[in-house]
Amino acid sequence: MAMVSRSLTPTETSYSPIEGEALALIWAVDRLKHLILGAKTIVRTDHKPLIYIFKGAAQRPKLMRWALLLQKYDLVVEYVSGKANILADVASRMPLKKWAGLLNE
């Protein structure tokens, strides 16, 4: 299991929810490509519409391009309800100072 994160740029803050979730996936996959290229990788998300871009249902050009970029990876995107996705929920709400303290221990 791996987790990575970053802040959004001012332009990215105006993205629609599906674009923001897809951007997060694109960025994370690129950041972790050395770990996942050639390996079956399960992506768990609480954003159900994200699974549809992998089924050819992306209608926006940006999402279509991103879906094409992800085709070289063996990704399985699974929907997990927000209530059941506790680890991601905690990680997304923990202050950066707390993360920094954990990493320095």
Side-chain angles (χ1 to χ4, degrees):
M1 182 162 96
M3 290 187 286
V4 292
S5 69
R6 71 172 179 90
S7 297
L8 296 175
T9 67
T11 301
E12 292 166 351
T13 61
S14 66
Y15 283 7
S16 68
I18 184 66
E19 289 173 337
E21 295 285 338
L23 171 67
L25 180 57
I26 286 287
W27 182 84
V29 164
D30 184 61
R31 181 88 172 177
L32 300 170
K33 64 186 166 197
H34 62 284
L35 295 174
I36 65 171
L37 195 58
K40 182 177 181 177
T41 304
I42 299 171
V43 176
R44 293 188 173 97
T45 180
D46 64 353
H47 190 73
K48 202 169 196 174
L50 190 59
I51 64 175
Y52 297 110
I53 71 168
F54 290 94
K55 295 181 179 178
Q59 296 177 352
R60 298 179 194 160
K62 184 187 305 181
L63 293 176
M64 287 183 213
R65 284 192 308 274
W66 288 349
L68 287 172
L69 286 172
L70 294 172
Q71 284 184 346
K72 64 182 168 187
Y73 301 98
D74 187 7
L75 299 178
V76 176
V77 181
E78 295 178 350
Y79 171 74
V80 179
S81 71
K83 289 180 181 179
N85 202 354
I86 296 168
L87 182 60
D89 193 46
V90 168
S92 69
R93 285 171 174 67
M94 186 179 293
L96 291 177
K97 289 181 183 179
K98 179 75 171 180
W99 277 112
L102 291 173
L103 294 174
N104 292 326
E105 291 179 354

